[in-house]
Amino acid sequence: MGLTITEKVLLSHTRDKEIYAGKFILADVDLALGNDITAPLAIKEFEKIGINKVFNRNKIALIPDHFTPAKDLASARQAKILANFAKKYRIIHYYEVGRMGIEHALLPELGLIKPGDLIIGADSHTCTYGALGAFATGVGSTDLAGVMAIGKVWLRVPESIKFIYYGKLNKWLTGKDIILYTIGDIGVDGALYKAMEFTGEVIRNLDMDGRFTICNMAIEAGGKSGIIEPDSFTLEYIREHQSTKVSVHQRDLKSDKDAKYTEIREYDVKNWKEPAVACPDLPSNIKPVSELKNIKIHQVVVGSCTNGRISDLRISAKILKGKKVHPEVRMIVIPATQNIYLQAVKEGLVEIFVKAGAVFSTPSCGPCLGGHLGILDKGERCISTTNRNFKGRMGHPESEVYLASPLVATASAIKGRIAHPEEVF
Amino acid sequence: MVIKGKALILGDDINTDLIIPARFLTTTSPEELGKNLFADSVINFSQKIEKGDIIVAGKNFGCGSSREHAPLAIKGAGISCVVALSFARIFFRNAINIGLPIIESKDAKEIKEGDDLEIDLQEGKVKNLTQNKIYTIQPFPEFLEELINQGGLMNWIKNLLLRS
């Protein structure tokens, strides 16, 4: 019996001779990460067992990105715990405000993720790195503490579901729409405990930013991980961001033809005629955009680990150029990293946003989780390029979040209501 | 271990933002977190519960973010166990790692608000004293039993380091 790409990556990180879905393994970790919410708890647990060194100071990343720049005293204290720990243990990949970015955009950009790697993150959107052919999964703080101590993590080898996308994608659709329609199809627990393997011609033709968006939201279907087999796009991305070469083993990493899947789901993407919007209060509550055109909005967020990359900002600016944000709408644009910020400055995107009446923020997870930089009051409604629209996620329990691509979010900012991008182009 | 408590019924897809909203994540103290358990979704939840109460929920309990503050808040508020049709995987890991007893059972939907439950983890049985019924629960896989018996992940790691 052949192996899936996920099983191959996991097997190569154990001393085991065989691997199969359902098996419990103790796997070596290539990179473990935590942020200013999850790492303080991990550090507390780490220190509890009385050890005085980390397993490898080059394989731990600590990124204060959620409530930073510190939004209040309590968050400042949390961020300081990270800084102190990083200093004490001489952690190489600690990124202070001004050098940081949203972790899941930052680490690939820094060249820290390669095909075939095993990445553990105390953040549920760690699954993003599967876009580069890595096995990456979110865990809690105690798991991160364990990895910091011994460099290993316990995992149950997941079953895989294969998602194959055929056909030509409608010009207004993006990676975000692909993953939203998929979650809408299988539900928020449709891939519970499973690896989601994305493939087919549509994925092959999709740029890396679109692939990051897709793998990022695997967790929204309950998935343990999302993964895409590496190809020429992956290798080009790695070449751009890393000095080290990709080995033949990493380059040719693929699922075997006779690998076992619990399910294979095929989509003809031409059936998706319009961009998707996830309505409150679940990412699976999907409607085509034209059914929502009478929904008035008060806020728009373009950013996050899902859609805060340069191509997201480019398309948003392209739509917004020469137009204005609706007088009754706040538009908040958040580049995911400092590099993306700088690139947006160089390309003149920031000028477009500011002239249109939008805010251009420093990198932060901020409003996505109702942290800061755009909290909703009672009765307010936001259309956002982020990943979750749970009740009260962005602020007051009686506020609402709609999830969409940067195209739909930006068109809505101009119209003051949920809008199809073709209405403003 | 035998757990006794009154059932508190919750629905499907209870996410970690509902369990503990992000604005309360600036502490790691279970007791502090417990005060704000379900702060935005259930009015006065933390005052309503009695020590030892058991949460009984539908499918996909604990979905969403990886915040370990969610099981910590549940534990800190004095909840003794969570019974659900299914758990989201990060919540499942976190609960095991921090020693919050959780039980996956298809019989969860038979349990009603306020039912008196008696759970015997060793025997693998949930007794519904109010309805006079006994539900059998599947044992955890061997590895997870080992983690639970050693008192959670960090104790397991400590023992591993002591052995090597």
Side-chain angles (χ1 to χ4, degrees):
Chain A
M1 180 57 81
L3 299 178
T4 63
I5 180 171
T6 300
E7 290 164 341
K8 286 184 184 181
V9 176
L10 292 177
L11 182 62
S12 70
H13 287 79
T14 68
R15 280 158 202 81
D16 298 7
K17 291 210 167 54
E18 58 163 3
I19 200 155
Y20 48 85
K23 184 179 182 180
F24 281 83
I25 57 168
L26 198 58
D28 293 317
V29 174
D30 295 310
L31 187 69
L33 60 128
N35 56 53
D36 52 313
I37 289 181
T38 60
L41 193 49
I43 290 166
K44 189 168 147 187
E45 289 299 314
F46 178 88
E47 288 174 341
K48 237 190 232 170
I49 60 167
I51 43 172
N52 54 10
K53 63 176 202 301
V54 295
F55 86 105
N56 185 334
R57 68 191 183 98
N58 196 32
K59 291 187 172 184
I60 295 168
L62 295 175
I63 302 150
D65 60 357
H66 276 59
F67 290 164
T68 54
K71 74 182 176 84
D72 54 23
L73 262 180
S75 350
R77 202 171 305 132
Q78 302 250 102
K80 195 163 83 178
I81 295 173
L82 262 69
N84 288 347
F85 186 85
K87 197 171 168 195
K88 182 173 176 189
Y89 293 98
R90 297 185 298 133
I91 304 294
I92 310 267
H93 301 295
Y94 167 73
Y95 298 97
E96 187 50 271
V97 168
R99 277 81 77 193
M100 56 71 97
I102 299 175
E103 48 198 346
H104 310 309
L106 182 69
L107 299 182
E109 187 187 277
L110 290 169
L112 295 177
I113 320 283
K114 294 186 303 296
D117 279 356
L118 194 151
I119 320 287
I120 293 298
D123 188 278
S124 62
H125 292 108
T126 301
C127 50
T128 311
Y129 315 122
L132 287 166
F135 174 85
T137 192
V139 296
S141 298
T142 301
D143 272 313
L144 173 62
V147 179
M148 291 198 300
I150 62 169
K152 293 175 195 294
V153 68
W154 69 266
L155 293 168
R156 179 188 169 278
V157 178
E159 291 84 6
S160 288
I161 308 180
K162 192 188 231 178
F163 296 83
I164 312 174
Y165 303 89
Y166 301 106
K168 194 171 179 304
L169 204 59
N170 177 294
K171 70 182 261 200
W172 302 111
L173 270 63
T174 65
K176 184 62 163 283
D177 302 283
I178 294 173
I179 192 64
L180 286 179
Y181 275 123
T182 305
I183 298 165
D185 180 45
I186 65 172
V188 289
D189 63 346
L192 194 59
Y193 297 100
K194 299 195 171 70
M196 300 173 78
E197 190 176 321
F198 302 104
T199 185
E201 59 184 306
V202 180
I203 303 295
R204 291 294 143 226
N205 291 325
L206 198 65
D207 63 11
M208 280 310 303
D209 283 3
R211 295 180 187 188
F212 282 124
T213 303
I214 290 180
C215 289
N216 173 274
M217 289 190 72
I219 178 71
E220 273 27 280
K224 182 169 202 153
S225 56
I227 197 162
I228 295 172
E229 290 173 346
D231 62 11
S232 59
F233 284 29
T234 325
L235 298 180
E236 197 188 316
Y237 183 92
I238 304 270
R239 261 196 305 275
E240 265 177 43
H241 294 88
Q242 302 191 17
S243 49
T244 51
K245 283 217 167 90
V246 169
S247 71
V248 175
H249 165 71
Q250 290 163 337
R251 192 191 66 203
D252 295 339
L253 193 57
K254 277 182 179 44
S255 291
D256 291 327
K257 288 214 161 55
D258 56 346
K260 199 175 161 192
Y261 296 91
T262 53
E263 202 180 340
I264 295 176
R265 300 189 78 87
E266 299 180 64
Y267 298 93
D268 185 343
V269 299
K270 75 168 184 303
N271 294 328
W272 298 333
K273 300 197 190 318
E274 290 183 46
V277 178
C279 302
D281 293 324
L282 285 177
S284 57
N285 193 8
I286 302 297
K287 292 210 169 94
V289 66
S290 64
E291 288 182 23
L292 303 165
K293 283 186 181 172
N294 57 353
I295 308 264
K296 279 207 161 70
I297 51 155
H298 307 90
Q299 180 167 300
V300 173
V301 173
V302 172
S304 82
C305 59
T306 314
N307 279 116
R309 296 183 180 79
I310 192 66
S311 55
D312 300 313
L313 303 192
R314 280 181 189 141
I315 190 69
S316 179
K318 194 174 170 186
I319 295 171
L320 208 52
K321 193 173 184 179
K323 300 187 185 74
K324 293 280 182 204
V325 172
H326 190 276
E328 289 168 26
V329 172
R330 307 178 291 271
M331 182 174 183
I332 300 161
V333 183
I334 310 179
T337 68
Q338 289 288 114
N339 256 334
I340 296 169
Y341 191 115
L342 187 59
Q343 189 66 26
V345 171
K346 284 181 184 164
E347 294 183 18
L349 310 183
V350 181
E351 192 176 336
I352 296 172
F353 290 123
V354 174
K355 278 188 172 163
V359 163
F360 196 77
S361 159
T362 190
S364 180
C365 304
C368 172
L369 73 160
H372 60 151
L373 301 170
I375 306 297
L376 300 176
D377 192 15
K378 185 176 177 177
E380 286 196 315
R381 207 175 277 139
C382 177
I383 187 157
S384 175
T385 68
T386 54
N387 42 53
R388 290 193 177 125
N389 56 352
F390 300 147
K391 190 175 153 71
R393 168 84 174 172
M394 207 177 266
H396 195 280
E398 287 172 45
S399 60
E400 289 183 335
V401 178
Y402 289 75
L403 304 174
S405 72
L407 283 86
V408 173
T410 310
S412 306
I414 297 166
K415 287 291 192 186
R417 56 165 175 81
I418 295 181
H420 192 298
E422 70 186 357
E423 293 181 62
V424 296
F425 232 100
Chain B
M1 184 167 67
V2 177
I3 297 166
K4 278 176 110 165
K6 197 161 53 41
L8 292 166
I9 307 293
L10 296 169
D12 289 337
D13 302 316
I14 300 295
N15 65 71
T16 55
D17 280 274
L18 285 181
I19 297 171
I20 180 86
R23 65 179 183 281
F24 300 116
L25 302 182
T26 50
T27 173
T28 55
S29 148
E31 292 70 30
E32 283 301 309
L33 291 164
K35 286 179 195 160
N36 294 306
L37 182 62
F38 292 106
D40 290 342
S41 46
V42 187
I43 297 159
N44 297 332
F45 190 88
S46 61
Q47 279 110 57
K48 230 175 22 184
I49 56 178
E50 281 172 39
K51 205 169 161 50
D53 280 357
I54 294 165
I55 287 178
V56 179
K59 69 176 179 73
N60 203 24
F61 185 86
C63 63
S65 99
S66 71
R67 62 189 72 161
E68 200 164 295
H69 311 68
L72 278 179
I74 291 173
K75 212 178 165 187
I79 299 285
S80 60
C81 180
V82 184
V83 181
L85 286 179
S86 63
F87 290 91
R89 60 161 285 276
I90 305 179
F91 184 92
F92 183 92
R93 289 184 77 92
N94 287 344
I96 299 278
N97 286 342
I98 68 156
L100 170 72
I102 52 170
I103 289 167
E104 201 170 278
S105 169
K106 60 178 182 350
D107 297 315
K109 50 187 171 213
E110 291 192 17
I111 302 169
K112 301 272 183 300
E113 181 80 21
D115 279 1
D116 280 312
L117 305 178
E118 190 178 292
I119 300 169
D120 189 324
L121 293 172
Q122 263 75 41
E123 267 192 43
K125 286 198 166 46
V126 177
K127 285 185 200 161
N128 188 330
L129 304 173
T130 308
Q131 296 188 30
N132 206 11
K133 279 182 187 157
I134 295 177
Y135 317 119
T136 308
I137 45 181
Q138 290 297 314
F140 283 121
E142 202 179 326
F143 175 74
L144 295 187
E145 285 285 356
E146 191 184 318
L147 273 188
I148 294 163
N149 292 337
Q150 295 194 21
L153 181 71
M154 293 319 278
N155 278 337
W156 183 84
I157 285 177
K158 205 168 155 184
N159 294 338
L160 188 81
L161 291 172
L162 283 176
R163 280 203 305 272
S164 62

